[in-house]
Amino acid sequence: MDAPARAPRVAVLAGGLSHERDVSLRSGRRVAEALRSTGAEVSVHDVDADLVPALRQLSPDVVWPVLHGASGEDGSVRDVVRMMGLRVLGTGPRASRVAWSKPIAKTVVARDGIATPDFATLPQSLFRELGAGAVLDMLVARLGLPLVVKPSRGGSALGVTLVERREDLPQAMIACFSYTDTALVERAVVGVEVAVSVLDTGDGPFALPPVEIVTDGPYDYDARYNAGRTQYFAPARLDEATTRAVQDVAVRAHRALGLERLSRTDLVVDAAGTPWFLEVNVAPGMTETSLLPQSAVAAGHGLGTLYRALVDAAVQAPVATD
C-alpha cells in the first residue's frame, strides 16, 4: 500500500485498565500534541468497547499504542490492531510478548552475550507450597544481598523493592505479589542507573544519548512521575567509551529481541564500567518527565519532528500480519 500524500492519520491508544493508566493517558496526550504540531491528523482513543468500532470508522494510516502495562505491552492490543489490517507503530505482538516477560527478555539478551544480573523467578503458588522461609534463605544464599524484587511483568517500578537485609525480604515479596503472580528476584548491581532509548526512523535502529537517573531513594513510581525527587542528566555523565558501550547494549538488545521503531533499555553501569541489562520497554513513557523525550531533546531533536519521522516510517512500511 502506498503512503498517503495527505497528512498521516494517526490513532494514538492511551489509557487502558492497567495500574499505569494515568501515566499512559499523560503519555498519549503528549504524543498527540507533538504530532499535531507537524500537521498530522491525530485522534486519541482509550482501550474500551468503543475502540474497535472507532478504528474501523477512522481507518487510520497507523495506530500508535502509547499503552503502559498489561495489554498495551504484552502484545494483545497489538494483535487486535493487526487482525484489523492496520499498521502498528512499534513492536509487533510476538516480540512484545517476549519483551514483556522480564525473565524471558533477560534470557534472550544473555544468549546474545549481554551482561544481566543473576536472577531467579518465583511463582506465588510455589513460594507458598515450599515454605517462605526456606525459599528466601536459598535466594540469599544463591544471589547474595542486596537483591531487587520485582514483578516478572509490568512497569513504572510498581511492586519493585530493593532489599538490603534478609528480614526485609518477606515484605518485598508481598509487595511484588500484589501486582503479579510471579516474582523476579535478581542480584542488585550497584552503580549508575541509565536509560537508553532506541529509535528506527527507517534506516535501522540507533541509540539516543543515555539518560542518568539520580534519586533521593528508590527510583519508584513516585520518583518517576512526580517532579522533585529525581534528577536526570541528559546526556548521562559517562565518559565517551562508556557512553558508546551502553548505547551498543541497548541497540543489541533491541535487535536480539526483535523490537521495532522504538524501545527503551534500562541498565546499571558498575564501577568497572560494565553495563548490566535490567529490562526493556516497548512502549516507553512519553510524559514531561519521561526518559525518551528527555534523551531526544538532549540529542537536539524536536519531539514533533522526531515522532512524525517514526509515523512516516511506519506508514511507508508494509502492513505486517504476525
Side-chain angles (χ1 to χ4, degrees), residues 115-308:
T116 189
D118 290 341
F119 69 99
T121 54
L122 187 62
Q124 186 174 14
S125 58
L126 186 65
F127 182 74
R128 289 174 173 170
E129 290 167 3
L130 296 181
V135 171
L136 295 182
D137 287 341
M138 285 189 289
L139 284 172
V140 174
R142 170 68 178 82
L143 300 174
L145 288 170
L147 295 169
V148 176
V149 179
K150 62 177 71 172
S152 64
R153 297 173 175 84
S156 293
L158 293 166
V160 178
T161 306
L162 172 64
V163 178
E164 297 178 324
R165 305 182 306 165
R166 162 64 177 81
E167 54 265 38
D168 295 331
L169 257 179
Q171 186 57 45
M173 300 300 295
I174 291 170
C176 179
F177 287 139
S178 68
Y179 289 96
T180 185
D181 60 359
T182 302
L184 184 151
V185 183
E186 68 182 359
R187 179 175 57 84
V189 177
V190 178
V192 180
E193 290 193 51
V194 296
V196 184
S197 298
V198 174
L199 302 179
D200 183 351
T201 55
D203 297 319
F206 63 92
L208 294 173
V211 178
E212 179 183 350
I213 302 152
V214 180
T215 67
D216 60 358
Y219 188 45
D220 55 16
Y221 184 92
D222 181 69
R224 288 169 185 244
Y225 299 112
N226 292 309
R229 280 200 51 206
T230 303
Q231 282 185 290
Y232 300 101
F233 296 90
R237 299 171 298 178
L238 303 172
D239 60 42
E240 185 176 345
T242 307
T243 296
R244 287 198 303 268
V246 298
Q247 290 177 312
D248 178 66
V249 166
V251 172
R252 285 171 60 196
H254 184 95
R255 291 184 185 275
L257 292 163
L259 309 185
E260 302 174 61
R261 297 297 169 210
L262 74 165
S263 68
R264 192 198 71 232
T265 294
D266 298 337
L267 308 110
V268 174
V269 181
D270 67 16
T274 300
W276 293 84
F277 173 93
L278 300 180
E279 59 189 76
V280 69
N281 193 314
V282 301
M286 298 290 194
T287 73
E288 59 277 5
T289 61
S290 293
L291 302 168
L292 189 154
Q294 290 190 57
S295 184
V297 171
H301 295 289
L303 295 182
T305 302
L306 187 62
Y307 297 170
R308 177 64 181 268

Side-chain angles (χ1 to χ4, degrees), residues 22 76 146 208:
D22 290 344
S76 55
L208 294 173

